[in-house]
Amino acid sequence: VLTWQRHTRGGTPARFDLLQLGGLPDSLLPDSATAGRIAAPALPAALLVGTNHEGQRGELTLLGVPLFFERHRVWDDDHGPWLRLAGLELDLAGDPYPLLKLPGFHVRLGAARILDEPLKDTNRFWFSLAWEP
């Protein structure tokens, strides 16, 4: 599976209104509060900040293990350098069963190797769990 995404903030946004790359998706805050956040679980929240973002991701499942390679760049005026990372990510979900009073769930865990600055040659790990009534 190959995906491509592009985000742009028009005009001259205030510093708090810029695009922010990194962090897990937030299920507690409303979409309006996280409108400028671009989720990338392998990266710390707001690692890269700017008015433009381009991201590409490729996924391949090999022997049941979901592997990925992705790259991002964030810039204001000139295209910024790519930030590449590779790793594996498991994404599991279950529906709620109201009759049995069991909530739905969404589990996401992974590990990645950052290949470029500012976190070059570091390993990152993440785990998230969300319940759905």
Side-chain angles (χ1 to χ4, degrees):
V1 176
L2 300 173
T3 57
W4 177 82
Q5 57 182 331
R6 172 86 190 246
H7 301 91
T8 301
R9 287 278 197 209
T12 312
R15 193 72 188 153
F16 64 84
D17 197 30
L18 294 173
L19 298 172
Q20 302 172 20
L21 175 68
L24 288 162
D26 196 316
S27 62
L28 298 177
L29 296 174
D31 290 341
S32 60
T34 60
R37 185 181 302 165
I38 300 158
L43 302 173
L47 176 66
L48 299 177
V49 176
T51 55
N52 299 285
H53 165 262
E54 182 177 6
Q56 301 164 351
R57 181 177 170 114
E59 298 177 17
L60 173 68
T61 301
L62 192 60
L63 299 172
V65 178
L67 305 172
F68 72 88
F69 174 83
E70 65 183 47
R71 65 185 192 161
H72 299 273
R73 61 182 171 181
V74 176
W75 70 94
D76 288 322
D77 297 324
D78 296 325
H79 285 66
W82 288 104
L83 173 60
R84 300 170 300 148
L85 50 132
L88 59 96
E89 183 175 43
L90 297 172
D91 196 352
L92 309 168
D95 294 328
Y97 292 101
L99 235 65
L100 301 176
K101 296 186 179 181
L102 294 175
F105 68 91
H106 187 183
V107 176
R108 191 172 184 181
L109 61 106
R113 177 84 170 173
I114 313 298
L115 305 173
D116 295 309
E117 295 298 337
L119 298 174
K120 185 175 182 170
D121 296 331
T122 59
N123 297 316
R124 303 279 301 178
F125 304 92
W126 62 96
F127 173 81
S128 71
L129 173 62
W131 295 104
E132 180 183 333

